[in-house]
Amino acid sequence: MKKTVPFAISALSAIIAFAGLPLLAQAEESPVGLWKSIDDKSGKPKALIRITETGGELQGKIEKLFLEADAPEKNPKCDKCEGANKDQPIVGMTILSGLKKDGDEYSGGKILDPGNGKLYSSKLSVIENNKKLNVRGYIGAPMFGRTQTWLREQ
């Protein structure tokens, strides 16, 4: 009878430890990885964006564009961009920068829309068990903007 008490305590300890794993997984949710952006209007995939973290700041770079088969260029240039991005290839371009962890989200950064060449303030948050990313671009206050939901690729 005395041998079953230590076994019961060990089993109970293991159950408690495993019960805490979902909480640990939620704490480790991170936007670092490869994401597929979806066009707001058509609902079709637009691009694959790789988000990395360096020195506590997130950056996002376009790795691939999903273009129509009859697209004139396979890697179009950002002709509407200004500054260093003017007329640069969109694939390989950094479109997210400066985002820092702020509670459950990342904020304080910028996002570039290569379609219109405009730079917006940005914030993002990981949702649905690290499978989706809400990316918000805005001017002034976050209420004056739009949110896209990106899907995790890896």
Side-chain angles (χ1 to χ4, degrees):
M1 181 103 175
K2 290 184 181 181
K3 290 185 178 181
T4 59
V5 172
F7 174 75
I9 291 173
S10 295
L12 184 59
S13 296
I15 290 169
I16 291 170
F18 284 118
L21 284 178
L23 294 175
L24 181 63
Q26 287 178 349
E28 293 178 3
E29 287 186 348
S30 168
V32 171
L34 187 64
W35 297 90
K36 183 188 303 180
S37 67
I38 307 297
D39 186 271
D40 297 351
K41 295 173 186 154
S42 71
K44 294 180 181 179
K46 282 177 69 171
L48 291 179
I49 298 104
R50 169 107 28 213
I51 296 179
T52 58
E53 184 174 0
T54 305
E57 287 190 9
L58 298 178
Q59 301 83 37
K61 188 180 282 194
I62 295 178
E63 285 194 356
K64 177 181 180 178
L65 292 174
F66 295 102
L67 301 170
E68 298 294 327
D70 60 350
E73 291 186 54
K74 296 302 175 199
N75 188 7
K77 297 186 176 12
C78 191
D79 57 351
K80 296 179 182 173
C81 289
E82 297 178 357
N85 287 330
K86 178 76 174 158
D87 295 324
Q88 295 301 307
I90 293 174
V91 173
M93 185 174 283
T94 298
I95 61 163
L96 276 174
S97 62
L99 292 151
K100 295 181 182 176
K101 184 122 176 90
D102 182 16
D104 289 341
E105 64 183 21
Y106 291 78
S107 62
K110 299 289 183 184
I111 186 166
L112 172 69
D113 181 346
N116 64 20
K118 293 184 180 178
L119 193 62
Y120 301 93
S121 296
S122 182
K123 67 179 194 170
L124 53 87
S125 57
V126 180
I127 60 171
E128 294 186 23
N129 286 335
N130 218 11
K131 294 179 184 170
K132 294 183 178 181
L133 187 66
N134 277 344
V135 181
R136 183 143 187 94
Y138 58 93
I139 297 173
M143 69 169 84
F144 301 114
R146 75 174 205 234
T147 300
Q148 283 188 338
T149 300
W150 295 358
L151 307 175
R152 184 175 290 279
E153 286 289 295
Q154 48 169 252

